[in-house]
C-alpha cells in the first residue's frame, strides 16, 4: 500500500471508526510512504535546503508521480524509504 505519510492512516482509521466499518487491511501488508521518496527524487536545492513535497491529492496524480520517479535515470538524492509491515493497533 502506498500512502503519502503515516498520518494518512490515522485519518483513515478515524473515518472508518466513525462509519463503524471494519479496517480493510489485514496485518502483514507492506506500506511505503511516498513523501520521503518524492523528497529523495526531487533532491536538494543549491543552498542545501530539501523542500518538502506537496501531496498529490488524488490517486491518479500519485500514480503519475510514481511513473515520473520510476522513469528517472538519475540516482535519488536522499535515502529511499523502505516498506514497513503493517501491525496492530491499525487493525483494531
Amino acid at each position: 500500500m502506498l500512502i503519502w505519510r503515516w498520518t494518512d492512516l490515522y485519518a483513515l482509521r478515524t473515518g472508518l471508526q466513525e462509519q463503524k466499518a471494519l479496517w480493510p487491511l489485514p496485518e502483514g501488508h507492506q506500506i511505503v510512504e511516498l513523501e520521503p521518496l518524492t523528497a529523495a527524487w526531487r533532491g536538494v536545492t543549491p543552498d542545501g535546503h530539501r523542500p518538502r513535497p506537496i501531496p498529490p491529492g488524488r490517486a491518479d496524480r500519485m500514480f503519475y508521480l510514481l511513473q515520473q520517479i520510476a522513469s528517472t535515470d538519475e540516482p535519488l538524492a536522499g535515502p529511499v524509504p523502505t516498506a514497513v509491515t503493517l501491525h496492530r493497533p491499525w487493525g483494531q
Side-chain angles (χ1 to χ4, degrees):
M1 178 171 82
L2 292 171
I3 57 174
W4 187 248
R5 69 174 76 113
W6 276 103
T7 54
D8 295 344
L9 290 177
Y10 296 116
L12 175 61
R13 184 179 64 181
T14 300
L16 290 171
Q17 286 175 339
E18 288 174 0
Q19 297 175 30
K20 300 199 180 355
L22 297 176
W23 181 254
L25 301 173
E27 288 185 65
H29 276 70
Q30 298 291 307
I31 297 176
V32 176
E33 286 183 286
L34 192 55
E35 182 184 39
L37 177 62
T38 304
W41 171 61
R42 280 295 186 203
V44 180
T45 62
D47 63 358
H49 177 69
R50 184 180 299 272
R52 187 173 188 157
I54 298 171
R58 298 187 325 237
D60 62 329
R61 295 191 53 77
M62 186 178 285
F63 181 65
Y64 175 75
L65 176 62
L66 284 170
Q67 287 177 318
Q68 296 299 306
I69 293 170
S71 67
T72 301
D73 292 332
E74 299 175 21
L76 297 177
V80 178
T82 58
V84 175
T85 303
L86 183 65
H87 295 289
R88 293 196 185 278
W90 302 110
Q92 295 178 353

